[in-house]
Amino acid sequence: MSLIPVKRAAKIVHIVEAFGAGTLSMVSAMANAQARDGHSVTIIHSVREETPDNWRALFADAIHFIQLPMVRAINPAADWRAGRALYHWLRELKPEVVHMHSSKAGALGRIVSLFIRGKSAPKWFFSPHGLSFLQRAEGRLKNTIFLTVEKILSEIPTTFIACSPSEGAEIRRHLGSNVVVVNNAVDLAAIHPAQGNQDIVRIGTVGRVTLARNPELFAKIASQAAQPGVEFVWIGGGDVASEKNLKNANVKLSGWVDRKEALQQLASLDIYIQTSRWEGLPVAVIEAMAAGLPVLATNVVGNKDLVIDGENGYLCENSSDFVKHLNTLIENRSARQTLGAQARHFAEANYSLDKMMASLYKAYGLS
C-alpha cells in the first residue's frame, strides 16, 4: 500500500472493546497504515471471545498496545473501573487524536472526554461499526434504550465516523449532523480471485456464526435451495446451537480459520450470500466482491451500500428472494460471471485502503 501524504506525524490512540471480527479487521487496517505513514499509534483494547489468539500478528511491530478490561454489557462497577483506567492512560499518552470504535468504547471514551479539556485536548472521533439501536434481534425495548443512551452521549462534542453512507444517514437522522463518511475498505492485493467450479455450484459466506449474521436464515435458504450439484458452505464457526442448525440443513462448516485461510476458501465459492440482521459496512462482502463473486444480501444498512440490484448482485427481503435469485444464478453460469466481474470492478473502484485512509486523514485534519 502506498503512503498517504500527511501534514505531520501525530499521536493517535484507538480505543476498542469489540476486538474481533470486522471491527478488528478495520482497526488493524487503519492502525497499520497510520504506523507506516509515520504516526505514533497506540491501541487501548479488550479481548473478547472472538478475538483470535494470533491478533498481535495482524498489526505492525511499531504499534503499542494497552489491554484494558472492558465488558460488552452495561456493568456500572466494571465500567467505572474501565473509565478511570482509560482516563489515566489518555492523560499519560497525551494523544492528538482519539478514535473510539463500537458502542462500549464509544460510550466510555466520550464520557472520559468530558474530563480532558483545554488547548492540549485531543480531537475525538467515534466509529460505531454498526449502530446498536438498529440491531433488530435485540427487540424494540432494548433498541429504544440504546437509542436513548446514544442521544444523550451525542451531546458530547465528538465527530462520528460512519463506515457507510447509509450508516451516516442513520446517524444524521437520529443523533446529529457532525458525521463524516469514511467507507470501510480492504487490502485488494490480498484477495484471491474466485476460480469457479466446473461440476458444482458452491454457495457460501464468511464470518462467525453469530446472531448478527442470522445463521437461521442461511440454514432456511440452504434447505429451500437444495438440489443436486449445489453445495452450501459457512466459512467460520461460532454459536454451537446455530452450528447444529446449519449442519442439519446440510451446510458444510469450516470451523474457525485465520484470515489467510478464509480468503483462500472464499475463492472456492461461486456465489456469496450475506444474511445479516444488521451491519455497518461488511468487510466480508467487500472481499467477496473483490474476489469476483456475485453477492446476495439482506436489505439492511451497509449491505445496501454495496449491492446494486442486477449489477453486482441482489438485495433480498426474505428467504424466498434469496432462493429465487439463487435458482437463476445456479442455472446460468454466464450471469454469475457477469455479476461477479461487475462486483470486482465496483470493489476496486470504491473500496481500496488508500481511499479509506485519505478520507480518514481528512476527517482527522491531518491532510
Side-chain angles (χ1 to χ4, degrees):
M1 188 180 86
S2 62
L3 299 179
I4 304 295
V6 294
K7 289 181 180 177
R8 56 183 174 77
K11 287 185 177 181
I12 300 171
V13 170
H14 294 274
I15 308 170
V16 52
E17 180 273 324
F19 206 54
T23 301
L24 174 59
S25 175
M26 294 320 306
V27 171
S28 62
M30 292 176 184
N32 286 339
Q34 289 162 356
R36 283 194 292 267
D37 292 334
H39 300 290
S40 172
V41 182
T42 300
I43 297 177
I44 300 175
H45 69 99
S46 294
V47 173
R48 276 190 175 185
E49 179 186 354
E50 61 265 33
T51 304
D53 293 337
N54 68 335
W55 64 264
R56 186 61 182 87
L58 302 175
F59 293 90
D61 292 340
I63 297 171
H64 305 286
F65 293 89
I66 298 170
Q67 188 168 331
L68 175 63
M70 292 178 275
V71 295
R72 186 181 325 194
I74 296 174
N75 184 315
D79 293 342
W80 169 255
R81 290 192 295 270
R84 286 187 63 184
L86 184 58
Y87 172 81
H88 162 78
W89 283 115
L90 291 176
R91 293 286 291 185
E92 182 172 310
L93 291 167
K94 295 181 174 59
E96 295 157 77
V97 171
V98 175
H99 193 159
M100 303 163 283
H101 301 268
S102 294
S103 298
K104 178 52 71 73
L108 292 176
R110 281 178 286 178
I111 292 170
V112 167
S113 76
L114 294 172
F115 302 94
I116 304 178
R117 294 297 179 186
K119 291 183 179 180
S120 61
K123 295 180 180 179
W124 300 85
F125 301 88
F126 173 42
S127 292
H129 296 286
L131 294 160
S132 59
F133 54 84
L134 296 181
Q135 297 180 5
R136 296 180 179 181
E138 295 292 348
R140 184 173 298 178
L141 177 59
K142 278 191 175 181
N143 284 349
T144 300
I145 293 171
F146 292 153
L147 177 57
T148 301
V149 171
E150 282 295 339
K151 281 182 176 292
I152 294 169
L153 292 171
S154 69
E155 296 298 319
I156 300 172
T158 306
T159 299
F160 283 91
I161 302 289
C163 63
S164 69
S166 58
E167 184 177 74
E170 292 292 338
I171 292 171
R172 293 187 187 95
R173 177 185 173 193
H174 295 286
L175 303 177
S177 60
N178 191 15
V179 54
V180 177
V181 175
V182 177
N183 286 322
N184 282 350
V186 302
D187 181 1
L188 296 170
I191 309 300
H192 305 283
Q195 300 301 315
N197 297 285
Q198 295 299 320
D199 301 321
I200 194 170
V201 176
R202 185 171 288 119
I203 301 164
T205 195
V206 178
R208 277 182 56 80
V209 180
T210 63
L211 181 69
R213 295 297 297 275
N214 203 348
E216 295 79 16
L217 177 57
F218 191 100
K220 186 176 182 180
I221 294 165
S223 295
Q224 293 178 349
Q227 56 182 282
V230 173
E231 179 179 273
F232 282 84
V233 179
W234 190 299
I235 302 168
D239 179 72
V240 174
S242 295
E243 282 192 4
K244 182 178 180 181
N245 190 34
L246 288 166
K247 290 174 182 176
N248 288 340
N250 292 318
V251 176
K252 294 186 176 181
L253 284 98
S254 72
W256 184 88
V257 294
D258 62 23
R259 184 170 182 272
K260 181 178 180 181
E261 176 63 22
L263 291 177
Q264 290 176 345
Q265 293 194 33
L266 175 67
S268 74
L269 301 180
D270 296 283
I271 303 169
Y272 187 90
I273 64 176
Q274 186 86 355
T275 53
S276 318
R277 287 185 165 97
W278 64 85
E279 285 288 356
L281 191 73
V283 173
V285 170
I286 301 174
E287 290 174 338
M289 288 183 163
L293 294 171
V295 175
L296 277 62
T298 45
N299 187 13
V300 299
V301 167
N303 287 349
K304 61 187 178 183
D305 293 289
L306 296 171
V307 179
I308 304 171
D309 267 328
E311 292 190 22
N312 56 22
Y314 296 97
L315 290 171
C316 304
E317 301 293 342
N318 49 46
S319 63
S320 297
D321 282 352
F322 276 98
V323 173
K324 177 183 69 175
H325 293 303
L326 282 175
N327 285 337
T328 299
L329 294 177
I330 288 168
E331 295 299 322
N332 192 330
R333 182 184 181 89
S334 177
R336 297 199 302 270
Q337 292 174 332
T338 298
L339 288 176
Q342 290 169 176
R344 182 176 60 254
H345 295 321
F346 179 79
E348 291 171 348
N350 297 288
Y351 297 99
S352 70
L353 289 178
D354 280 352
K355 283 182 177 290
M356 180 182 75
M357 293 311 301
S359 297
L360 188 61
Y361 285 143
K362 183 177 180 182
Y364 285 173
L366 295 177
S367 64

